[in-house]
Amino acid sequence: MDRGLMGMCVNERRRLIVPPHLGYGSIGVAGLIPPDATLYFDVVLLDVWNKEDTVQVSTLLRPPHCPRMVQDSDFVRYHYNGTLLDGTAFDTSYSKGGTYDTYVGSGWLIKGMDQGLLGMCPGERRKIVIPPFLAYGEKGYGTVIPSQASLVFHVLLIDVHNPKDTVQLETLELPPGCVRRAVAGDFMRYHYNGSLMDGTLFDSSYSRNHTYNTYVGQGYIIPGMDQGLQGSCMGERRRITIPPHLAYGENGTGDKIPGSAVLIFDVHVIDFHNPADPVEIKTLSRPLETCNETAKLGDFVHYHYNCSLLDGTRLFSSHDYGAPQEATLGAHKVIEGLDTGLQGMCVGERRQLVVPPHLAHGESGARGVPGSAVLLFEVELVSREDGLPTGYLFVWHEDPPAHLFEHMDLNKDGEVPVEEFSTFIKTQVSEGKGRLLPGQDPEKTIGDMFQNQDRNQDGKITAEELKLKSDEDQDRVHEEL
């Protein structure tokens, strides 16, 4: 019989014929086996092991990317199918609606499983064969695992972490010229894909076609993400791996993040700013000739610009209109950051401006501009004209004529209607004696000047009504000549 079993495989069936001299011989077994009986055995081998056996591990599938391998004292989440050596199933995690979660090497598992899980990567599939003395031994387990049974586990490791783990960072793409990195207190806009360690996607900002916008380092997001976003550059792509104690802990959240889950975020940082950030100004080129005067508050300027988001998304360009943009600096006709960035420029100078949202379109954004977006401008100053002092519509280059009313009263009838007033002012401008407020319709400006002087609004100005702005500033009455 002993020799007949040698070389058998598990689940192999054999018929053994044992002659009397290798069986019970001339004695037999009283009442059961007669003397000199030939014995016939139909045998199925169910299990086999040796005291020298160790845990046998076979890797069935190993993922190409292995962020970390299982070590003693790690906490693991895995699925398994458990069978006896002959294939008889005794347990499976798949029927229980969740993974099996436990510590490795801490006495929570049978010794063979403690050994068999070591070195596994998340997403790896293994076959682990455990001899009985490293499983349930002579006692077996309940009615499903007999005494001295070898056990076979097909294991899929879902994730692994250690309570001592910190956030792990991996830079996937770093743009050149990173001059500023995110710090606590910055407001950031970023896209992300969030997945479990086995690759299961649980959330994505891309599916909502909108960035996730939040303050960094202020407790508005899970602690691991708060830490993982700091130190990033605008435009950077990084992978942030967060252990559960820095994410959603033992309870998980919702129906997509289970308890004790490690989270992996692939993040693309679009932009960030601090509420205290000023406009960042970088000179790209300056004219070769000496620049004696630069743009200042009140000046009327023409400029070309290209405007984009920091991820390169094009927004607006003056070149689309075939003509430069125009503005009076300080008149609140353009966003504050652009107004600031144009000041101090020479005609012909080109600048790059990085404008934080509180100096642009703020939290609400504007048509085509997302909320809280940092804007990138490339501007070129085409021309500039000196502005006028606040409240002035017209200034004299020299002292105004003596007897101003008589010069203005062209037909000498003692009153100046709007036609005479307009003709007089236009003559002063054409002869270079005075200058109208730039950037405005001259006819409207002259009309406003006339209305300021026509105190009783009867359609004409008298000598008593006419008064210079410089004189009237003493009384703070009207804004006029």
Side-chain angles (χ1 to χ4, degrees):
M1 180 72 168
D2 278 347
R3 285 184 288 174
L5 294 175
M6 293 181 68
M8 282 191 75
C9 298
V10 174
N11 286 330
E12 182 180 341
R13 292 179 180 271
R14 283 186 181 181
R15 168 162 286 186
L16 305 180
I17 301 174
V18 182
H21 67 278
L22 295 178
Y24 292 95
S26 59
I27 300 176
V29 177
L32 183 63
I33 299 174
D36 297 317
T38 298
L39 305 180
Y40 295 83
F41 292 90
D42 286 332
V43 178
V44 179
L45 186 64
L46 299 180
D47 198 345
V48 59
W49 55 274
N50 189 285
K51 292 181 179 180
E52 304 299 322
D53 283 349
T54 58
V55 175
Q56 300 173 46
V57 174
S58 303
T59 298
L60 307 178
L61 174 66
R62 190 178 181 90
H65 177 70
C66 183
R68 63 167 293 170
M69 295 185 289
V70 176
Q71 301 175 12
D72 270 338
S73 78
D74 281 347
F75 189 87
V76 294
R77 297 193 309 116
Y78 62 91
H79 274 301
Y80 69 90
N81 287 315
T83 65
L84 303 179
L85 206 59
D86 66 350
T88 302
F90 63 81
D91 195 13
T92 177
S93 65
Y94 293 97
S95 65
K96 300 175 182 178
T99 54
Y100 191 81
D101 306 344
T102 188
Y103 285 95
V104 174
S106 300
W108 296 100
L109 293 165
I110 57 176
K111 292 180 179 180
M113 187 63 89
D114 263 341
Q115 296 176 24
L117 292 172
L118 292 176
M120 281 193 81
C121 298
E124 182 178 341
R125 293 181 182 271
R126 276 186 180 181
K127 178 182 177 182
I128 303 173
V129 182
I130 305 174
F133 55 86
L134 294 175
Y136 292 100
E138 294 183 6
K139 295 183 178 180
Y141 187 82
T143 60
V144 293
I145 299 178
S147 172
Q148 302 291 14
S150 299
L151 305 183
V152 180
F153 290 92
H154 283 80
V155 175
L156 169 61
L157 185 67
I158 302 301
D159 70 12
V160 52
H161 76 276
N162 194 285
K164 298 178 182 179
D165 282 350
T166 58
V167 174
Q168 300 174 46
L169 302 179
E170 180 183 354
T171 299
L172 305 178
E173 182 181 329
L174 186 65
C178 177
V179 296
R180 161 143 149 59
R181 294 180 179 268
V183 297
D186 284 344
F187 189 87
M188 181 178 288
R189 299 190 314 122
Y190 61 94
H191 273 301
Y192 69 90
N193 287 318
S195 62
L196 304 179
M197 230 174 186
D198 65 351
T200 302
L201 185 71
F202 62 80
D203 193 17
S204 174
S205 64
Y206 296 98
S207 67
R208 296 185 289 274
N209 198 30
H210 193 283
T211 54
Y212 191 83
N213 306 337
T214 188
Y215 284 95
V216 175
Q218 302 291 305
Y220 291 100
I221 48 182
I222 57 175
M225 189 63 92
D226 248 348
Q227 295 177 26
L229 290 171
Q230 293 184 51
S232 60
C233 296
M234 294 185 193
E236 180 177 343
R237 296 179 186 270
R238 62 168 50 179
R239 178 168 292 152
I240 305 172
T241 302
I242 305 174
H245 55 275
L246 295 174
Y248 294 100
E250 295 182 5
N251 297 324
T253 185
D255 57 357
K256 292 186 177 181
I257 299 179
S260 300
V262 176
L263 306 184
I264 300 176
F265 291 90
D266 283 347
V267 173
H268 181 202
V269 178
I270 302 301
D271 61 29
F272 53 82
H273 73 280
N274 194 283
D277 281 349
V279 177
E280 294 181 21
I281 299 175
K282 178 182 178 182
T283 298
L284 302 178
S285 65
R286 294 175 68 92
L288 295 176
E289 60 271 16
T290 302
C291 173
N292 293 320
E293 293 186 332
T294 60
K296 60 185 180 302
L297 284 174
D299 283 359
F300 181 68
V301 297
H302 286 84
Y303 61 96
H304 272 302
Y305 74 94
N306 293 313
C307 177
S308 64
L309 301 178
L310 290 191
D311 65 354
T313 301
R314 184 179 182 275
L315 296 179
F316 315 108
S317 175
S318 61
H319 299 282
D320 294 339
Y321 307 106
Q325 187 80 2
E326 59 182 39
T328 299
L329 298 182
H332 308 294
K333 299 298 184 182
V334 296
I335 59 173
E336 185 177 349
L338 180 56
D339 200 309
T340 299
L342 289 168
Q343 294 175 42
M345 288 188 75
C346 298
V347 173
E349 180 179 344
R350 292 176 57 247
R351 281 182 175 180
Q352 176 181 284
L353 311 175
V354 179
V355 182
H358 55 276
L359 298 176
H361 295 287
E363 295 182 9
S364 301
R367 188 177 63 179
V369 180
S372 300
V374 179
L375 302 183
L376 177 67
F377 285 90
E378 287 189 2
V379 294
E380 178 184 1
L381 187 61
V382 176
S383 67
R384 59 166 291 278
E385 296 178 52
D386 286 332
L388 301 188
T390 302
Y392 281 71
L393 301 175
F394 173 90
V395 294
W396 298 95
H397 289 162
E398 301 174 352
D399 288 338
H403 310 294
L404 178 59
F405 184 81
E406 285 77 2
H407 284 78
M408 195 176 291
D409 183 11
L410 302 180
N411 63 4
K412 309 306 179 187
D413 64 352
E415 57 188 28
V416 177
V418 66
E419 295 79 12
E420 283 187 336
F421 184 85
S422 178
T423 299
F424 174 78
I425 295 298
K426 289 178 180 178
T427 299
Q428 309 311 304
V429 172
S430 65
E431 293 177 355
K433 297 178 180 179
R435 183 161 55 89
L436 288 167
L437 179 68
Q440 306 294 324
D441 177 11
E443 296 294 343
K444 181 180 184 307
T445 300
I446 293 172
D448 290 343
M449 293 171 63
F450 181 83
Q451 290 297 320
N452 288 341
Q453 296 294 333
D454 183 14
R455 320 269 174 183
N456 60 11
Q457 304 298 301
D458 63 354
K460 56 184 179 296
I461 300 171
T462 62
E464 290 74 20
E465 288 177 306
L466 184 66
K467 186 177 292 188
L468 290 173
K469 168 69 175 169
S470 56
D471 295 332
E472 194 156 87
D473 274 347
Q474 306 297 321
D475 305 324
R476 303 287 183 186
V477 180
H478 289 288
E479 295 180 352
E480 48 191 86
L481 283 179

